[in-house]
Amino acid sequence: MRLTRFTDVALRVLMRLAVVENGEAPTTREVAATMRVPYTHTAKVVARLQHLGLVEARRGRGGGLTLTGAGRTASVGGVVRELEGAGDVVECEGETPCPLLAACRLRGALRRAQEAFFAELDPVTVTGLVASPTGPLLLGIAATRPDTG
């Protein structure tokens, strides 16, 4: 199973916000620079995370991004399911349906494998992702981030 770039960026944004210290509220632009992701892509991700109630975004002077309580305790499996969707791994129907559709065993096996993938991520929380050594590394990256001018 391969995650979309959108989900990858979303998980990195959540991880970065999970290590915020001393009331710091980095901007979307700062998080994008730290994670080396284009700002426009990060802005779309932040909007989706905000819609899901995982991130709070405040505009203007003194604004920035913060992780909500729900974001801190969110199941990584739940986040990935929400962002990736519950669709099948392969498209069996559609414009050119698979000729094996009526008697295929692959579709069910792939669906079970996909659910096993999500189930493995279910007990992992966003806070758990940033336990040492990851959290200190994220803080070091944030402290030396490139100029976001």
Side-chain angles (χ1 to χ4, degrees):
M1 168 131 196
R2 184 178 178 103
L3 298 179
T4 61
R5 178 87 166 132
F6 190 90
T7 300
D8 173 45
V9 171
L11 292 172
R12 288 197 267 163
V13 167
L14 291 172
M15 291 170 65
R16 170 60 185 101
L17 295 178
V19 296
V20 166
E21 294 182 318
N22 305 323
E24 171 196 14
T27 66
T28 301
R29 193 169 301 282
E30 290 169 341
V31 171
T34 299
M35 295 291 106
R36 297 185 182 134
V37 178
Y39 167 76
T40 54
H41 197 67
T42 306
K44 291 175 188 173
V45 165
V46 166
R48 179 84 165 118
L49 293 174
Q50 187 178 9
H51 177 75
L52 294 173
L54 303 175
V55 170
E56 183 179 308
R58 292 180 315 258
R59 301 183 94 163
R61 190 173 193 87
L65 304 174
T66 55
L67 196 58
T68 65
R72 235 169 247 299
T73 61
S75 159
V76 173
V79 171
V80 172
R81 268 188 198 88
E82 188 66 41
L83 298 176
E84 292 289 323
D88 288 327
V89 175
V90 294
E91 186 176 325
C92 299
E93 301 173 31
E95 195 172 311
T96 55
C98 177
L100 303 175
L101 187 61
C104 183
R105 298 175 65 119
L106 178 61
R107 186 178 190 180
L110 290 173
R111 190 176 293 128
R112 288 188 301 278
Q114 179 183 30
E115 188 49 43
F117 174 80
F118 290 139
E120 189 65 28
L121 295 173
D122 282 339
V124 180
T125 64
V126 171
T127 300
L129 288 177
V130 296
S132 188
T134 306
L137 178 64
L138 276 166
L139 287 171
I141 293 170
T144 60
R145 70 178 176 265
D147 181 24
T148 59

